Amino acid sequence: MTQKNKLLTLSSFNSQYLKHIWRDGFQDENPEWTKWNAPYFNDYHAYPSFFSV
């Protein structure tokens, strides 16, 4: 099926996406998205670098 106006393209996950996921989700000490978590989700932990464990 071909569409003229594509709004979203899905692709397979690969390791190139890991750094982007870390940057968007785990780099900040107190990210905005954690303020919207339910009260029982208070286990967020920031990682100072991509290679931190």
Side-chain angles (χ1 to χ4, degrees):
M1 180 166 80
T2 304
Q3 294 180 352
K4 289 184 179 181
N5 297 323
K6 291 183 179 181
L7 298 177
L8 178 68
T9 302
L10 299 178
S11 61
S12 299
F13 182 83
N14 65 50
S15 60
Q16 294 175 353
Y17 298 128
L18 290 175
K19 199 160 199 173
H20 297 288
I21 292 170
W22 165 77
R23 184 192 65 220
D24 295 340
F26 300 99
Q27 180 180 15
D28 294 335
E29 194 64 37
N30 190 19
E32 181 69 25
W33 64 265
T34 61
K35 297 174 186 168
W36 299 97
N37 278 347
Y40 44 85
F41 289 128
N42 58 359
D43 59 351
Y44 174 77
H45 179 74
Y47 293 91
S49 75
F50 177 68
F51 298 103
S52 299
V53 177

